[in-house]
Amino acid sequence: MDINLTAPNGKNISFSTGLFINNQFVKGSSSESLASIDPATEDPICSVEVATDADVDTAVQAARAAFDNPAWRDLTPEQRAALLHKAADLIEAHKEDLFTLQALDVGKPFPASMHFEAPHTAGCLRYYAGWADKLHGQTVPVSKDKFGYTLRQPVGVCGAITPGTSRSPPRPWKLGPALATGNCVIMKPSEYTPLSALYLAKLFAEAGYPPGVVQVLNGHGRSTGEALVNHPGVDKIAFTGSVATGQRILKLAAGQMKRTTIEAGGKSAFLVFADADLEQAAKWAISGGFGNAGQICSANSRILVQRAVQQQFLDIFSRMARASKVGMPFDASTTQGPQASKMQYNKIMGYIESANQDGAELVMGGGRYQDLGDKGYFVQPTIYKGVTRDMKIFHEEIFGPVLAVTAFETEDEAVALANDSAYGLAAMVFTENIKVAHRTAARLQSGMVYINESNNVDWKLPFRGSKQSGLGSELGESGLDAYLEEKVIHLNLG
Ligand code: NAD
């Protein structure tokens, strides 16, 4: 189970591939294992242990014991905050190893991880450390003889199911609020990207979290994931992934009325009005659309441009997009790495084919990125224009570097096009007119609206989807709610 490897950046990394239960790496009870494939080379990196129903049960029992263990249960808020700070310190100290492993496993460019994810991961944990001693309830003087107050208490054992995408934020977004509020967490990473969560969990143990508070179980969604959702000892599921899986989890969780938060996919509209600063709009469309090789849930994958400036915008946008550098994850000049998995790569190729068949006009890209040879899941940054409401690429989430451009004439038409979606994760509005921005933001059916920027996530603000994009919030103060149960105390003084 112990692996030692040298990555292309020369880093020597040691890690274990076991299930992480009770602060130890252990073998699973099945002989099955899960291969982690380097998406840049298609070479196997290693295999990890797979958790069976019995292993899920062992981890849940450990988490239940930890939840009731005074070593965790009775910590003061200040002590819970100190542990989160310590975990953040260790992430900062070991960020090169952690994000090297992630770059190998997921294909995310290493320089981008060091620049954004490392500080984001540690910063998000520190933000929630700050909340640990501010979890107040309410006091209600009901009458002369009666006083009421509320307590906000941890939910219990939380399953954190995360997707196979090229970034780890879903983990600190869940671990931060869960641990600040005194819960125990069992992480179930994607079967396509199983490695970095194992390394992360080890850092939490080193930080001093008691056994059973932070655990990791790798395995497939339909088996390990469902065993976690179905286990009666799990009080809450925090899920990030596709709408279809979110719906399945909701159905399973309903039987036990299990607390469930869902962060699902999106088809976020990016509105460019004629008065917008087009250079700025194009710059943000690139980072919010092609960043992480398009594997961002809130990617601005539908670009709606006022017809009067469509050509001018497309010229700037495609010029900037051509400057993107598709390359190997450890190459310093790489801005776009491979897709995280073959499954995802094949799905994107299917959408490119459907766009061509549906008559969308190709502006650039439109296929495999060939310059790196025939290995690796590399896709060209791709832009289609003339995309209409009846086309698949207008409605369906591609989760890759393929952006659809549609022209509009009026503000009303822009809002109608943007709202014509089953999703409602994010929307972006580019205009120099504050009245248009304000009015449009209020009318867009999405959990988040960015004005003159895109996907500039900040942990101090909630991250949430409306419609089929989600249930509940992560990040910000509201990100705590899903990890707390409110209890009402009636005190009779008569
Ligand atoms: P996915 O839904 O296929 O898998 C997500 C996770 O769910 C994986 O860990 C998987 O093993 C698990 N899973 C699958 N079936 C399950 C089941 N029946 N029961 C329990 N667990 C199950 O998603 P993906 O392809 O890994 O990731 C891409 C999706 O994630 C996209 O739709 C993207 O928009 C979404 N996403 C959303 C956010 C957000 O914050 N809203 C962030 C990143 C990604």
Side-chain angles (χ1 to χ4, degrees):
M1 290 193 300
D2 291 336
I3 304 277
N4 202 303
L5 56 79
T6 305
N9 60 353
K11 286 286 306 172
N12 208 298
I13 312 169
S14 301
F15 61 98
S16 176
T17 56
L19 306 174
F20 192 69
I21 298 179
N22 259 331
N23 280 1
Q24 286 185 331
F25 287 104
V26 296
K27 281 190 106 39
S29 60
S30 128
S31 55
E32 193 198 347
S33 64
L34 196 61
S36 162
I37 306 291
D38 179 343
T41 61
E42 299 181 43
D43 291 333
I45 303 168
C46 61
S47 290
V48 300
E49 297 290 311
V50 167
T52 60
D53 288 8
D55 300 320
V56 170
D57 187 55
T58 305
V60 174
Q61 300 306 336
R64 292 240 66 92
F67 188 63
D68 290 331
N69 179 355
W72 175 238
R73 186 192 62 200
D74 294 346
L75 289 187
T76 63
E78 292 74 14
Q79 288 170 320
R80 288 202 305 273
L83 277 177
L84 273 175
H85 280 298
K86 182 72 185 153
D89 291 345
L90 287 172
I91 287 165
E92 282 162 352
H94 294 277
K95 62 186 178 188
E96 293 214 357
D97 283 5
L98 177 62
F99 292 103
T100 294
L101 200 53
Q102 179 174 282
L104 280 174
D105 193 26
V106 186
K108 171 152 184 167
F110 178 70
S113 291
M114 294 303 282
H115 179 71
F116 169 74
E117 276 196 70
H120 185 93
T121 305
C124 181
L125 296 181
R126 292 191 195 287
Y127 169 76
Y128 280 108
W131 275 109
D133 62 357
K134 298 170 191 69
L135 307 171
H136 307 300
Q138 292 180 315
T139 58
V140 184
V142 180
S143 67
K144 180 169 74 63
D145 291 332
K146 180 162 175 168
F147 181 74
Y149 62 95
T150 61
L151 296 174
R152 297 176 83 205
Q153 298 181 313
V155 174
V157 174
C158 306
I161 301 180
T162 49
T165 65
S166 55
R167 59 177 184 168
S168 70
R171 290 182 201 138
W173 296 9
K174 293 171 173 41
L175 287 166
L179 298 174
T181 49
N183 294 279
C184 297
V185 183
I186 301 175
M187 292 190 266
K188 207 305 275 171
S190 165
E191 50 271 53
Y192 296 106
T193 55
L195 297 188
S196 54
L198 294 170
Y199 194 93
L200 192 66
K202 187 180 66 119
L203 296 182
F204 277 79
E206 277 174 33
Y209 280 90
V213 176
V214 177
Q215 305 184 94
V216 180
L217 299 177
N218 272 309
H220 295 277
R222 278 278 172 163
S223 45
T224 311
E226 292 205 3
L228 196 59
V229 176
N230 286 329
H231 199 296
V234 174
D235 302 290
K236 179 205 156 48
I237 294 292
F239 168 75
T240 300
S242 63
V243 169
T245 307
Q247 289 167 335
R248 168 100 187 137
I249 286 176
L250 278 176
K251 271 190 205 146
L252 295 174
Q256 296 168 34
M257 219 53 117
K258 200 161 282 194
R259 276 68 184 125
T260 311
T261 39
I262 304 283
E263 292 287 356
K267 192 73 193 177
S268 300
F270 183 105
L271 281 58
V272 185
F273 286 93
D275 68 335
D277 178 336
L278 298 183
E279 290 274 338
Q280 278 299 311
K283 187 195 90 178
W284 284 104
I286 300 279
S287 65
F290 294 131
N292 287 330
Q295 300 164 118
I296 308 177
C297 49
S298 47
N300 43 248
S301 51
R302 286 187 298 152
I303 313 263
L304 311 178
V305 195
Q306 203 148 21
R307 197 177 303 279
V309 294
Q310 178 180 225
Q311 196 50 52
Q312 198 188 343
F313 174 76
L314 274 172
D315 291 345
I316 301 169
F317 183 37
S318 52
R319 173 189 24 96
M320 287 185 186
R322 284 196 174 88
S324 303
K325 171 81 170 57
V326 180
M328 299 303 272
F330 291 101
D331 188 335
S333 62
T334 296
T335 57
Q336 182 187 314
Q339 308 310 129
S341 68
K342 185 170 193 170
M343 181 274 294
Q344 198 53 41
Y345 170 87
N346 289 338
K347 200 172 133 203
I348 295 165
M349 289 303 166
Y351 277 113
I352 287 176
E353 212 177 296
S354 93
N356 294 334
Q357 276 171 8
D358 287 348
E361 286 176 65
L362 188 64
V363 176
M364 60 175 279
R368 176 182 172 76
Y369 183 80
Q370 305 280 6
D371 294 11
L372 295 163
D374 57 3
K375 289 284 183 196
Y377 313 134
F378 295 97
V379 179
Q380 291 177 315
T382 296
I383 302 173
Y384 283 98
K385 68 173 183 174
V387 176
T388 51
R389 288 178 192 234
D390 53 337
M391 294 181 190
K392 245 181 166 176
I393 64 161
F394 184 88
H395 289 287
E396 294 183 20
E397 183 185 40
I398 299 173
F399 214 56
V402 180
L403 307 185
V405 178
T406 304
F408 69 84
E409 300 285 353
T410 65
E411 189 180 316
D412 281 349
E413 192 192 355
V415 171
L417 280 165
N419 288 344
D420 183 8
S421 176
Y423 293 108
L425 193 50
M428 299 79 185
V429 181
F430 281 76
T431 173
E432 295 295 292
N433 183 332
I434 188 69
K435 290 182 189 167
V436 172
H438 200 55
R439 201 163 54 217
T440 313
R443 294 174 69 196
L444 288 167
Q445 296 165 354
S446 64
M448 300 170 285
V449 179
Y450 294 91
I451 296 173
N452 292 332
E453 63 170 16
S454 178
N455 281 315
N456 195 7
V457 174
D458 192 301
W459 54 73
K460 297 186 283 303
L461 287 166
F463 187 97
R464 57 176 295 115
S466 64
K467 295 158 99 175
Q468 291 192 24
S469 288
L471 274 182
S473 288
E474 290 197 309
L475 296 185
E477 183 178 356
S478 17
L480 295 160
D481 293 345
Y483 295 93
L484 291 165
E485 284 281 353
E486 189 172 49
K487 181 181 284 177
V488 184
I489 315 291
H490 296 248
L491 181 58
N492 177 11
L493 301 169

